[in-house]
Every structure is written in C-alpha cells, then in structure tokens.
C-alpha cells in the first residue's frame, strides 16, 4: 500500500477509535512509525486528511447505495439499502459523530458533503418511488420531499443522537445498526398490507438484537 | 439586572449571533464594558457560562412544555406544543447547533442535558397518549418509544441539519420554525380521519411561509 493510502487508513482507524479531536498529525505519524515531515509531504494538515477520508466515504456510498434494479426483490433491495447505509455510517463513524464541527472548520468539506448529501437524497427519493410502484407504500408526492429530509436526519444524526444518549461512550456496531429500526419506522405507517408484512420482516432481526 | 444574569444574557446573544466557538470570555467582558477579572469572579470559565445558559434553557422548557390539560382543545394544544419547542430551539440555537461538541468537552453538561432530554421524552410520550385517547392518531404501544426517539431526533438536530444544508450560513427564525412541518409529518401518517384534518390545519401556516 502506498504511504498516502496508509496514512488515510491509519487516520480513519485512530479517529474512529479515539475521536478526531484527540488525534494530531503527530499521533498519526507515530502510529505509522514515519516522520511528521513525510506525513506533511502527503497532507499539509489534518483537514486535508479528513477531506481524503471523506472522499473514500463518498466512493463507498456511490458504489454501495445504487438505484433498485427492475428485477430486484423488494425485501432484498430494502435490506441491502438499510444495511449499506448503516455500514457506511459505522465505517466512517467519526465523521458522523462530529459533522457540524468538522464542517464549521472547512468550507471545502462542506461542498463535498453537500454533493454526497444530494446523491443520498436522490437515492432515497428513488427508493420511495420504487416502493410506491411496487404497491408497498402509499404516499402523496408532496410528502415525499419531507420524508426524504426525515430519512436524511435519521441517518445523518443517528450517531450523534446515540452517543449523547449514552454519555458519549464509544458506540458498538450493534448500536449503530439499531438506527435501521428507526429508518424503517419512518416508512412503516405508509405501508400497504403487503408493505406492512415486508417492514415487519425487515425489522425482525434488529428487534431481536435490541 | 445583576451582573451575573447580565453576563448570561450577553453571552447567549453573542453565542447565537456569532457562534460559540468564535466568542471568548474576553469578548463577553468587552461587550459588557467590564474587566475580565469581574467576569471570572462570577464564572470560572466559558464552560460555566454555557452550563448557566443551559439551566435557563431547561427552565424555559419545563415552564413552557407542559402536559395537556384535560380541557385542552386539541388543535390549540398541539400548536402551542410545536411553537414552544421550536421557540426554545430558536432562543438557544447555539446550543442546538453545536450540541455534540459542547457535550464532548463537559461531562457536567451531559448530565444536565440527559435530564432535560428525559423531561422532553416524557412530555412527548404523554402528548402521543393524549392524541390516542382523543382519537386523533392510531399507533401501537410498541411503536410509541420509537416515534418519541424520532421526535427527539427531529427537534434536537433540526438546527444542525438546516445549517449544514445552507452551508452554515446563519439561520433565520422562519427556517427554524420549518422544523415544525417535519415534526408534524412524523405524526401525520398515524392520523385518524379527524386527526388528518387537524394536522393539515396545523401545517397550513408553515407551508404558506415555506
């Protein structure tokens, strides 16, 4: 692995494990056994590393959260959609834990964030239309934009919400995936009879693990 | 007004207007025309001022968000509930904009936050039960806890969500109150015929202003 990629990988691990605020570029260089000078050759500061991690997050999102295929099985598609959203949240959880503050410090990162945000909104809107076409939910066109906002609120702030609720102790993967129940709960009341059965079946494994 | 109260009032205004991170205790003393020494006599540091502001926020919440009266008119009660929640968010918006980071720095503040959080959860749960009793929504007991979480997510993170969406430009009061539409949208799909009419009427003024 190239030094540059290794710096990104090690930084992501340290930020996730110990919180971004307590990790300096010196800690990262130390952990890798390289000189701070070599690190600065690749990244001028910590913000540049965070932007590079955010690019990886965006790549991960755009590769894993894709529009439904016309042949997709509804349950399979929704399960994948939920799992992959919360998997991306788990892998990049330090970003989700501190998004407002990371964005306050860095205008370039805001532009990256809004692009990814837009991509996720489009996929969410598509998924809702697909559920309507497949007679799984019934919802007015006017309500869709608000429901998409709510989906973005739940997925974007689930880590912050959970961390505060448990006094900022480190989160487990299971706790992060509990957000899936809340995401499904947004759709559930719009479910047709067929949709209701589908949502109940989707939620089941997460309720068992709750 | 006592100097101590005046410090709280001026700090709240400066934090809301310019962001908490860019305001130091020296800025606050300057704005009031007092010496930093006098400020430190009342508050040992900025965190102590923030905790005092949080106490005011809690007082405001516990005085304005109260259980429904048995004689309350449903529309009047819900309108008050929504307005007062978002009014408290507006008055203390710097807290809402930076909650995760303020809590990360201060364990004492976390305990205050969780208490207020619990109070708001209890009021939300009570409000939902009251809506069920008045045949305005239909919802399973099991779904209530999740709906309460969703209500807390929307109200607790609305400011952070809106700020990011508009590149962290300062929010207007109108933008903050747009959160009410999203709060009502959580309840709407559970509405009975009578409830549906109520929610449509509640949302109307905010949709017009959107």
């Amino acid at each position: 692995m190239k030094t540059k990629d290794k710096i990104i990988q090690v930084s992501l691990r340290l930020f996730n494990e110990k919180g971004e605020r307590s990790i300096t570029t010196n800690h990262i260089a130390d952990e890798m056994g390289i000189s701070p000078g070599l690190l600065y050759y690749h990244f001028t500061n910590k913000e540049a590393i965070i932007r590079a991690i955010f690019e990886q997050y965006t790549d991960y999102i755009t590769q894993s959260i894709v529009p439904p295929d016309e042949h997709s099985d509804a349950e399979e598609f929704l399960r994948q959609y939920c799992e992959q959203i919360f998997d991306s949240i788990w892998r990049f959880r330090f970003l989700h834990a501190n998004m407002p503050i990371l964005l306050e410090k860095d205008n370039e990162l805001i532009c990256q964030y809004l692009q990814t945000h837009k991509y996720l909104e489009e996929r969410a809107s598509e998924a809702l239309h697909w559920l309507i076409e497949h007679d799984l939910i019934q919802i007015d066109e006017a309500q869709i934009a608000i429901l998409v906002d709510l989906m973005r609120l739940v997925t974007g702030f689930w880590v912050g919400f959970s961390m505060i609720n448990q006094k900022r102790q480190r989160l487990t993967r299971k706790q992060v995936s509990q957000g899936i129940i809340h995401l499904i709960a947004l759709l559930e009341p719009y479910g047709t009879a067929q949709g209701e059965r589908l949502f109940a079946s989707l939620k089941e494994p997460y309720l068992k693990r709750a």
Side-chain angles (χ1 to χ4, degrees), chain A:
Chain A
M1 191 183 276
K2 285 184 196 158
T3 306
K4 190 168 182 173
D5 295 330
K6 183 87 182 155
I7 294 171
I8 296 173
Q9 191 194 53
V10 169
S11 303
L12 174 58
R13 179 167 57 77
L14 291 177
F15 292 161
N16 276 342
E17 284 173 4
K18 300 185 195 294
E20 173 266 333
R21 278 158 61 89
S22 61
I23 297 294
T24 64
T25 45
N26 281 346
H27 289 129
I28 298 163
D30 265 5
E31 178 80 12
M32 293 178 64
I34 63 173
S35 69
L38 182 56
L39 190 142
Y40 287 123
Y41 171 79
H42 292 288
F43 294 99
T44 50
N45 53 30
K46 199 166 85 169
E47 280 65 46
I49 300 178
I50 292 171
R51 283 197 295 272
I53 292 176
F54 197 87
E55 261 174 50
Q56 289 209 341
Y57 167 69
T58 302
D59 289 346
Y60 187 82
I61 287 281
T62 47
Q63 278 159 30
S64 61
I65 315 289
V66 291
D69 191 86
E70 54 178 299
H71 305 296
S72 301
D73 168 68
E75 184 162 348
E76 189 52 30
F77 166 68
L78 276 186
R79 193 177 301 282
Q80 288 269 336
Y81 180 90
C82 294
E83 281 284 340
Q84 273 156 348
I85 291 236
F86 281 89
D87 192 55
S88 71
I89 293 175
W90 171 252
R91 281 169 192 255
F92 298 89
R93 58 198 175 280
F94 90 90
L95 285 175
H96 288 81
N98 300 303
M99 201 60 93
I101 223 69
L102 293 174
L103 295 179
E104 186 171 314
K105 289 189 289 192
D106 187 342
N107 273 323
E108 220 176 297
L109 189 63
I110 289 203
C111 296
Q112 279 182 294
Y113 179 89
L114 289 176
Q115 260 190 310
T116 310
H117 185 96
K118 199 170 163 46
Y119 181 86
L120 281 167
E121 267 181 15
E122 284 166 4
R123 292 296 80 70
S125 173
E126 241 165 32
L128 291 179
H129 283 101
W130 188 83
L131 290 171
I132 295 170
E133 278 164 32
H134 286 71
D135 195 31
L136 292 164
I137 60 170
Q138 278 189 322
I139 180 171
D140 290 349
E141 193 60 36
Q143 292 171 301
I144 289 183
I146 288 177
L147 188 52
V148 167
D149 277 349
L150 292 172
M151 291 168 76
R152 294 285 303 127
L153 255 162
V154 169
T155 51
F157 293 94
W158 180 253
V159 169
F161 180 70
S162 306
M163 283 192 82
I164 290 173
N165 286 352
Q166 54 169 10
K167 297 195 181 184
R168 297 199 64 84
Q169 296 301 301
R170 209 178 297 168
L171 293 182
T172 64
R173 194 184 167 101
K174 198 180 94 180
Q175 288 161 337
V176 171
S177 79
Q178 289 300 306
I180 296 178
I181 295 174
H182 290 74
L183 187 61
I184 296 170
L186 290 175
L187 307 178
E188 260 181 314
Y190 295 102
T192 59
Q194 193 189 350
E196 271 179 29
R197 283 191 297 275
L198 171 65
F199 296 134
S201 151
L202 271 176
K203 270 196 321 187
E204 209 194 329
Y206 306 104
L207 287 174
K208 272 191 192 151
R209 276 186 265 156

